[in-house]
Amino acid sequence: MSRCKEIQDLLQAEYFDRESGPKEEQSVQEHLKQCSACGTLEKKLQAQRLLFQGAKPKPVPAHLWGNIRDAIIAQRLEEETPVPGILERLKNLVFLRRPAMVLAASVFSVVLVVAALVNANLQNQSALRKLSAAEGIAGYSLSAKNGYTIDDLGTGIEEYFL
Amino acid sequence: MNDIAPDILERSAAGNLDAFEEIYKATSSFVYNVALRVTRNSANAEEVTQDVFMKIYRNLKSFGFRSSFKTWVYRITVNTAINHYRKSGKEERSRVDYDNVIETLPDNRPETAIEQSDSQARLNALLDRLSPEHKTCLILREIEGLSYAEIAGALNIPLNTVRTRLKRARQALLAEAERRPDEPV
C-alpha cells in the first residue's frame, strides 16, 4: 500500500512530466504492470492531459501592439518634459499671470478706493451739519441779546419770515 | 517562447522601439495566452498584456541580464496576471466572456469540433476551481510546456514546491472531474 502511495506521488508529478530519473521511471513502469489501481490512475491522468492538449493558443489581438507603442511614446514624452526647479517654481508662483487673481485684485482695489471716497464724503457732510447747527444756536443767542424773546423756533419757513 | 538575440535586448534597453517590437513579437503569444487562462476574460488579458510589456520596457535597462530573459518575462507575466485576477471582483471573474466563447465555437460545428469546444469549456470550468497558484503551475506545465526548473524560476519557488503544486492541482482536477455535474460544489 505504501509502495502504491509512493508510485502515485511519482505518477502525478515527475514520472508523468518526464522529470524523473531512469531508475524511478523503471520502478514505476514495473509497478504499473502489476497494480491495477495505479494503472487506472495513470489512465485518468492521460485523459486529463488530453483536455490540455486540445487547448490551442489564441491569437494576440492585432491592435494590442499599437496600444503598447502609443503608451510607450506617451511615457517618453512625459519623461522628456523638463521638471522645473525650485527657483523656477517660486518665480512662476509670484510672477505667473493668473487671470482670476488679476481680476480679483482689480475689483478689490476699486472697492477700496470707492469705500475711501464715500467715507471722506460722509465725514465732510457731518462736519458741515455740525457747523450749521453751531451757527444757528449762535444766531438765536444773538437775537435774545438784542431784546427779542423767541418762544417758538417753528419750521424753517416760519424762521425765514421771522 | 522563442529565444531573443542579445543585440535586440541591448537595442531595446537603449530605447529602440523597433527592437522592442521584436521582443513583443517573440513573447506576446505566451504573455497573452497565460493572461487569458488566468483571468479567463479577453479584456482583462489585453490589460495584463499591456501592463506586462510596459513593465518590461521600463525595467529592461535595470534587468542586467543576470538571469534568463525568458524566465524574467515568465515571472512578470505570472505575477501581473495573478495580481489582476485577485484584484478583479468575484462578480467580474464569474462573468462569461462572450468574445472568448464565440472564438472557440467552430463555424460549421461538426461533431468533433463541438466536442472540442465542450471539452475546452469543461477544462476552463475545472481550472476555475483551482487556486491561482495551482492553476498557474498547471497552465505553465501543461499548456506552455515549461520544465520544472523554468516554472520554479517563473514563480520564484523551490523545485519541490513546483512538484507538490502540480500533484495537488492534478488531484483536485481528478476529484472535480469525477464529481457529477448536478452535485453541489
Side-chain angles (χ1 to χ4, degrees):
Chain A
M1 194 64 187
S2 66
R3 181 76 183 136
C4 278
K5 195 186 173 301
E6 214 175 282
I7 294 294
Q8 285 176 8
D9 271 359
L10 286 167
L11 260 182
Q12 292 171 103
E14 286 102 328
Y15 175 79
F16 196 59
D17 291 321
R18 296 184 179 278
E19 295 257 353
S20 57
K23 265 189 181 177
E24 281 172 326
E25 204 169 309
Q26 201 184 343
S27 69
V28 172
Q29 282 167 352
E30 277 171 13
H31 180 85
L32 286 174
K33 282 176 195 165
Q34 306 156 11
C35 179
S36 62
C38 291
T40 309
L41 177 65
E42 195 206 7
K43 279 176 191 158
K44 282 180 184 173
L45 287 167
Q46 294 289 3
Q48 194 185 83
R49 179 155 279 174
L50 282 177
L51 269 181
F52 284 102
Q53 281 171 351
K56 287 173 188 158
K58 296 265 168 12
V60 182
H63 64 269
L64 209 50
W65 169 244
N67 292 355
I68 293 166
R69 193 188 53 214
D70 290 349
I72 290 172
I73 291 169
Q75 193 186 312
R76 272 189 191 176
L77 285 173
E78 201 178 295
E79 283 167 4
E80 281 165 13
T81 310
V83 180
I86 295 171
L87 280 175
E88 203 174 338
R89 269 186 273 172
L90 204 64
K91 196 180 100 186
N92 286 345
L93 191 72
V94 177
F95 296 108
L96 202 69
R97 288 185 182 187
R98 291 179 178 84
M101 287 280 281
V102 171
L103 186 71
S106 311
V107 169
F108 185 68
S109 311
V110 169
V111 167
L112 271 181
V113 170
V114 169
L117 286 172
V118 167
N119 191 31
N121 197 23
L122 283 172
Q123 277 179 351
N124 277 345
Q125 279 181 0
S126 153
L128 278 171
R129 253 186 249 122
K130 277 179 189 168
L131 192 66
S132 63
E135 275 175 358
I137 292 163
Y140 289 131
S141 310
L142 196 65
S143 305
K145 272 187 180 173
N146 292 336
Y148 293 104
T149 310
I150 303 163
D151 297 327
D152 184 12
L153 292 174
T155 64
I157 296 165
E158 285 165 337
E159 280 170 22
Y160 179 77
F161 286 107
L162 278 169
Chain B
M1 194 196 292
N2 300 327
D3 280 327
I4 295 158
D7 71 301
I8 291 176
L9 293 177
E10 279 165 21
R11 280 193 290 132
S12 293
N16 185 318
L17 212 50
D18 291 336
F20 191 70
E21 192 175 357
E22 292 300 313
I23 293 178
Y24 175 82
K25 282 178 187 166
T27 57
S28 58
S29 181
F30 168 84
V31 175
Y32 179 74
N33 279 286
V34 168
L36 192 60
R37 288 282 167 192
V38 175
T39 63
R40 294 262 291 109
N41 180 298
S42 54
N44 288 344
E46 283 185 27
E47 210 174 300
V48 168
T49 306
Q50 187 160 337
D51 278 1
V52 168
F53 282 99
M54 289 309 289
K55 282 178 188 171
I56 294 173
Y57 178 77
R58 282 193 212 109
N59 298 299
L60 204 53
K61 276 181 201 167
S62 58
F63 168 56
F65 304 99
R66 282 181 297 276
S67 61
S68 147
F69 178 73
K70 265 169 41 173
T71 307
W72 188 56
V73 173
Y74 292 152
R75 193 177 294 178
I76 295 176
T77 305
V78 166
N79 287 342
T80 311
I82 291 178
N83 285 344
H84 197 285
Y85 178 81
R86 286 209 172 111
K87 275 182 200 164
S88 65
K90 206 175 177 182
E91 194 187 328
E92 196 187 331
R93 270 184 244 155
S94 60
R95 198 180 299 151
V96 177
D97 183 355
Y98 289 102
D99 286 350
N100 211 358
V101 171
I102 289 163
E103 274 172 30
T104 57
L105 291 175
D107 295 336
N108 49 4
R109 292 181 66 87
E111 268 181 39
T112 49
I114 294 171
E115 276 171 19
Q116 203 179 356
S117 100
D118 286 348
S119 68
Q120 282 312 292
R122 183 156 172 72
L123 174 64
N124 287 335
L126 287 172
L127 285 175
D128 272 355
R129 301 260 187 249
L130 302 179
S131 72
E133 286 81 9
H134 286 165
K135 182 161 83 166
T136 312
C137 229
L138 213 49
I139 289 167
L140 292 179
R141 175 65 209 163
E142 295 288 1
I143 299 176
E144 300 300 331
L146 266 62
S147 68
Y148 280 21
E150 285 174 320
I151 297 172
L155 301 176
N156 203 18
I157 52 174
L159 266 178
N160 212 30
T161 311
V162 174
R163 182 190 174 280
T164 313
R165 281 189 190 177
L166 282 172
K167 195 186 101 183
R168 287 192 183 150
R170 283 175 179 142
Q171 283 173 343
L173 280 195
L174 286 178
E176 281 296 330
E178 280 167 12
R179 196 197 296 271
R180 286 201 317 270
D182 55 337
E183 201 176 321
V185 180

